[in-house]
Amino acid sequence: MNKQRILIVDDDEMIAELISLYLTKECFETRMVHNGEDALYEFENFNPDLILLDIMLPGMDGYQICREIRAKSSTPIIMLSAKGEVFDKVLGLELGADDYIIKPFDSKEMVARVKAVLRRFKAAGVQAAPASAEPDSDLKKVVYPDLEINLTNYEVKYYGSKLEMPPKEIELLYYLAASPNQVFTREQLLDQVWGYEFVGDARTVDVHIKRLREKLKDHPAWGISTVWGVGYRFETKNS
């Protein structure tokens, strides 16, 4: 069985070595780089299954690296930073990061988060569809006017054209759309889409909803609506 590959991007060589040590003990294959240019080069050549990405790097920072990788790949990214402010977390998530770990971190928690993100990313395509999905549930697909969400191949078509979305956005959209007009709390969405292992807060859901709304403009037949004080629902109109 091939080992899963982790690309570690951190300008502090001692921290990178420590992370690599813990992950190697868990049977991951690791590669370490210490600046943005090398990170983008190794992303293409090492073909990692997950990237641990420090924000504060010489030259190109972690935000820019995340932006460039997200423009062409959905490879999971966990950001590492000593910055624990909400703004920094939200910015990382808005750029497409899958998780955010604040330094200093516990090694066991770091390994657990890596495994959780990889597990969600690899297993998402074979999850059972919600019971209220449309008739195409065997294919994990829901269809609305001008919108098709296919979780089998992680593809969203909007007005006939494919939309580029990170996996977590597609999973969230599918989960909402598969149960039209049902209200979900942020906590329910975190549990169902991110999994109970996710160590985050409800703002993660808000960030992903905001990104979905930017890509899917309000449609006469459907939309993602906010139920104030409760959560969100995929609303079908005129039905």
Side-chain angles (χ1 to χ4, degrees):
M1 182 178 178
N2 292 331
K3 293 182 179 181
Q4 290 180 297
R5 296 178 297 276
I6 311 293
L7 178 61
I8 303 165
V9 187
D10 199 310
D11 64 334
D12 188 320
E13 295 186 16
M14 289 185 63
I15 291 179
E17 289 278 1
L18 192 60
I19 293 172
S20 178
L21 177 63
Y22 286 120
L23 291 174
T24 300
K25 285 183 178 179
E26 297 293 326
C27 296
F28 291 105
E29 180 182 349
T30 66
R31 186 165 298 180
M32 296 172 286
V33 295
H34 310 296
N35 61 69
E37 289 186 0
D38 288 347
L40 293 177
Y41 176 83
E42 290 298 344
F43 172 72
E44 298 291 347
N45 289 274
F46 185 50
N47 191 26
D49 295 289
L50 180 142
I51 303 164
L52 283 167
L53 177 61
D54 188 25
I55 291 178
M56 303 302 291
L57 295 167
M60 185 185 302
D61 66 18
Y63 293 132
Q64 181 61 30
I65 296 169
C66 182
R67 186 181 294 112
E68 293 205 16
I69 289 175
R70 272 294 165 265
K72 56 188 174 182
S73 172
S74 59
T75 299
I77 297 173
I78 298 178
M79 296 197 118
L80 307 174
S81 179
K83 294 183 175 183
E85 291 80 4
V86 169
F87 170 80
D88 298 299
K89 295 180 184 178
V90 171
L91 179 56
L93 292 169
E94 284 184 333
L95 291 174
D98 297 271
D99 202 351
Y100 190 106
I101 301 178
I102 299 171
K103 296 178 179 179
F105 49 80
D106 179 81
S107 60
K108 291 182 179 178
E109 179 185 347
M110 181 271 297
V111 170
R113 290 205 193 191
V114 166
K115 289 181 176 180
V117 170
L118 283 169
R119 191 158 53 243
R120 292 195 304 268
F121 185 75
K122 298 295 183 183
V126 297
Q127 291 175 345
S132 55
E134 294 288 318
D136 285 325
S137 59
D138 286 345
L139 296 175
K140 293 187 287 294
K141 181 171 72 173
V142 290
V143 179
Y144 291 93
D146 304 312
L147 178 66
E148 180 180 308
I149 310 154
N150 190 329
L151 197 62
T152 302
N153 60 7
Y154 274 72
E155 183 175 88
V156 174
K157 289 185 178 178
Y158 183 50
Y159 286 96
S161 298
K162 183 178 178 181
L163 271 185
E164 293 299 327
M165 287 187 182
K168 203 53 62 184
E169 288 182 27
I170 297 175
E171 292 169 25
L172 176 59
L173 178 61
Y174 175 83
Y175 190 80
L176 288 168
S179 300
N181 300 314
Q182 181 174 338
V183 179
F184 295 97
T185 66
R186 292 168 176 82
E187 290 73 21
Q188 285 175 317
L189 293 171
L190 274 176
D191 183 58
Q192 294 297 325
V193 178
W194 278 264
Y196 70 90
E197 306 103 328
F198 181 73
V199 186
D201 57 33
R203 188 179 295 267
T204 301
V205 175
D206 297 338
V207 168
H208 282 72
I209 291 289
K210 176 176 178 287
R211 295 208 308 247
L212 285 174
R213 284 172 169 164
E214 289 171 352
K215 295 172 182 177
L216 301 170
K217 305 303 181 184
D218 201 29
H219 191 278
W222 50 264
I224 300 173
S225 62
T226 301
V227 181
W228 297 106
V230 183
Y232 299 100
R233 69 182 172 193
F234 189 91
E235 181 181 3
T236 55
K237 307 170 186 178
N238 302 319
S239 62

